[in-house]
Amino acid sequence: MDVASMSRHELHRLRLTGHQPHISGAVGQIDAYRRALGAISGTAGRLAPMRQVDDQGRPEPPLAADETATLLGFLDYQRATLAWKCAGLDAAGLQATTAASSMTLGGLLKHLAYVESDWFSGSLHGRARQPPWDTVDWKADPDWEWHSAANDAPEQLRTLWRDAVAGSRSLVAEALADGGLGQLAKRTWSDGTAPSLRWILCHMIEEYARHNGHADLLRESVDGRTGE
């Protein structure tokens, strides 16, 4: 059985019927993380094989990998889903709203760029905010990233988000090399506790999955395009 050539839905049907196809060899594990590792030694070998991309260009999460590869695989799948939902839209499309909500796809891109930076740079590594987040008066406008997105060109928004994701991948690779999933974030909460890298990755998967549901509705309202 050629698992590499099967679609995600075909694999899902196999699991439902109790069949477990044998997956042999590495099918190109988490390439983005391998590139981000660069000179950081010892991490690449711990990342297990990942599925090929689906019909929308999204990297399939690995079916039978270790905890690290599974978490990273699902996070990258959710990131790719957002990119798919925002692809090919002009400024009007990225600023469109639906129902009573003021949420837009452009706002989602900028919000998730901020979330990436805040969790992986600010919380995990304890680093100061970088541009454009460092000059924002967050007390005056706690939702600045949502509101200001209306003033940004589509490519500005996409580049901001892509750069944030690339930075996060590098920061996660650095953290994995230093201490693994169980290490605690350097920035603590008000009660002195801190989440682990494992917790942060799970939270980011949840964050993207929730907002991708919003993106589904927004994209359908723009041009009728639907899917997952």
Side-chain angles (χ1 to χ4, degrees):
M1 184 178 296
D2 183 8
V3 177
S5 66
M6 297 174 66
S7 72
R8 182 166 174 259
H9 299 293
E10 288 170 330
L11 287 166
H12 181 61
R13 285 199 296 273
L14 284 175
R15 290 197 294 274
L16 288 177
T17 56
H19 295 287
Q20 296 296 325
H22 176 67
I23 304 173
S24 61
V27 204
Q29 156 54 14
I30 309 180
D31 291 334
Y33 284 91
R34 289 194 184 280
R35 290 193 297 271
L37 291 172
I40 301 175
S41 61
T43 304
R46 300 209 312 266
L47 302 180
M50 176 184 250
R51 280 274 302 147
Q52 293 178 325
V53 298
D54 66 8
D55 293 341
Q56 286 75 42
R58 297 175 294 178
E60 294 278 11
L63 290 176
D66 63 19
E67 183 183 12
T68 299
T70 300
L71 288 171
L72 297 180
F74 271 95
L75 179 52
D76 268 350
Y77 183 80
Q78 294 296 337
R79 287 166 168 159
T81 299
L82 178 69
W84 170 38
K85 292 299 175 181
C86 296
L89 293 178
D90 58 12
L94 290 178
Q95 292 175 25
T97 61
T98 187
S101 175
S102 61
M103 187 178 294
T104 65
L105 287 169
L108 276 175
L109 282 171
K110 198 162 188 177
H111 171 67
L112 286 165
Y114 172 67
V115 169
E116 292 269 5
S117 178
D118 190 55
W119 276 111
F120 292 118
S121 178
S123 183
L124 180 60
H125 287 278
R127 296 175 185 172
R129 283 176 174 154
Q130 299 296 309
W133 322 115
D134 57 334
T135 59
V136 176
D137 186 347
W138 294 101
K139 290 184 179 179
D141 187 357
D143 294 323
W144 176 84
E145 77 274 28
W146 292 99
H147 301 150
S148 63
N151 302 318
D152 297 331
E155 196 51 38
Q156 284 180 294
L157 292 168
R158 294 189 178 98
T159 298
L160 180 68
W161 176 75
R162 285 195 298 262
D163 288 350
V165 169
S168 293
R169 288 180 177 135
S170 181
L171 290 166
V172 169
E174 181 183 335
L176 287 171
D178 287 343
L181 293 172
Q183 68 186 282
L184 300 182
K186 289 184 171 58
R187 186 176 71 192
T188 60
W189 289 334
S190 58
D191 62 357
T193 60
S196 67
L197 174 54
R198 179 184 290 104
W199 188 98
I200 292 171
L201 290 171
C202 288
H203 172 71
M204 288 296 292
I205 293 168
E206 177 273 331
E207 178 90 10
Y208 269 95
R210 179 165 49 87
H211 282 315
N212 281 334
H214 301 140
D216 272 334
L217 296 175
L218 287 164
R219 184 60 191 248
E220 185 175 3
S221 75
V222 172
D223 57 12
R225 188 172 300 182
T226 61
E228 292 192 38

